Amino acid sequence: MKYLNKTVFSLALAGMSIFSGNLSAQFLGGHRLKSDEDGPKGQFMVYGSLDYSKVTTPTNSSSTVSSAPLGVGYLINNNDLIGVNYAYSQNSVNHNVVYKQNEAGVWYSPSVMLGKYFVLIGQVDAHYVWGQQQTMAADAMENFNGFRLRAYPLIGILLGGGWALKFKFAELSMLQTKTKEEGWTKSYVAGISGSTFGVGISKNLDFRKKSTKNDN
């Protein structure tokens, strides 16, 4: 298992390096904005999504509430963001909460422009995870904590006014959590599937001082 952990971590680092600067202008016709071009450098970005689902049968009902991270980032140049984010998920069965999870951490996101209105984006998250889950032997809840490493690509559609839609279509991630009773539990996600697809929205906020032009 140690070797598997090292492999997954190495793949995450490799994904980060691919997204961070080696996306060339030839890749899908994309290009990174130059430092002297007019762009979003110095702006802040907020993003996220909220999801709710419910399944009802004649004997049971279950529901899930989740936020697929809510984040704030800062554009250190015209193409790269760094920031912090937070995610929450909760599962209920017959109106009783059986699982709830929080995660918070830092993220890095590089991008390349694909024409005028589309953006190819990569994101890497490093999160601390904590929450509660129902025990198998009793109705009591037990605490757990751990960490998550995740890398994923997105396609962004620029809507104007700083708004953008973001479509996540794949994921490479590792989640490790532990409880007092059970020790470490590990789970991995890699590839493209319905569970790795998501849609979110973002908004750029510009607090930069506007320079006044002198026409004299």
Side-chain angles (χ1 to χ4, degrees):
M1 188 60 72
K2 283 184 178 179
Y3 295 109
L4 181 58
N5 287 350
K6 289 180 180 179
T7 300
V8 173
F9 185 69
S10 298
L11 287 173
L13 289 178
M16 180 173 61
S17 65
I18 289 171
F19 287 127
S20 66
N22 296 328
L23 291 170
S24 65
Q26 288 79 25
F27 182 70
L28 294 179
H31 69 282
R32 285 170 64 87
L33 297 178
K34 297 178 181 178
S35 58
D36 57 353
E37 291 185 74
D38 185 24
K41 178 182 177 180
Q43 294 184 11
F44 287 86
M45 186 189 77
V46 294
Y47 75 94
S49 65
L50 296 173
D51 303 294
Y52 174 78
S53 63
K54 185 174 183 179
V55 177
T56 303
T57 68
T59 56
N60 292 293
S61 68
S62 62
S63 63
T64 300
V65 179
S66 65
S67 67
L70 307 174
V72 178
Y74 176 74
L75 281 139
I76 57 178
N77 55 43
N78 283 332
N79 307 281
D80 302 299
L81 293 109
I82 56 173
V84 294
N85 55 16
Y86 168 79
Y88 176 78
S89 62
Q90 175 180 296
N91 298 332
S92 300
V93 176
N94 296 328
H95 307 292
N96 295 317
V97 176
V98 297
Y99 183 89
K100 52 186 177 181
Q101 176 181 297
N102 304 271
E103 54 181 279
V106 296
W107 57 275
Y108 166 64
S109 181
S111 65
V112 292
M113 295 296 300
L114 302 176
K116 187 176 180 181
Y117 298 106
F118 295 90
V119 190
L120 177 63
I121 306 164
Q123 183 154 326
V124 179
D125 297 334
H127 286 174
Y128 175 71
V129 177
W130 73 99
Q132 292 182 311
Q133 62 187 16
Q134 192 173 55
T135 61
M136 298 295 292
D139 290 334
M141 301 285 281
E142 63 177 348
N143 296 325
F144 65 84
N145 61 66
F147 63 92
R148 185 198 298 273
L149 298 174
R150 176 169 50 202
Y152 51 94
L154 307 98
I155 291 291
I157 302 177
L158 305 180
L159 304 176
W163 292 95
L165 281 177
K166 306 287 180 64
F167 297 88
K168 171 190 165 192
F169 56 89
E171 182 177 318
L172 172 65
S173 67
M174 173 181 65
L175 172 65
Q176 295 198 155
T177 59
K178 66 175 180 177
T179 66
K180 268 187 179 180
E181 302 297 327
E182 298 180 4
W184 286 101
T185 299
K186 306 173 181 67
S187 61
Y188 306 93
V189 174
I192 300 174
S193 67
S195 63
T196 63
F197 180 81
V199 180
I201 192 166
S202 69
K203 176 70 167 75
N204 281 18
L205 304 173
D206 193 352
F207 298 110
R208 297 172 299 181
K209 290 183 179 180
K210 300 293 187 295
S211 59
T212 57
K213 292 183 179 179
N214 188 356
D215 297 329
N216 295 329

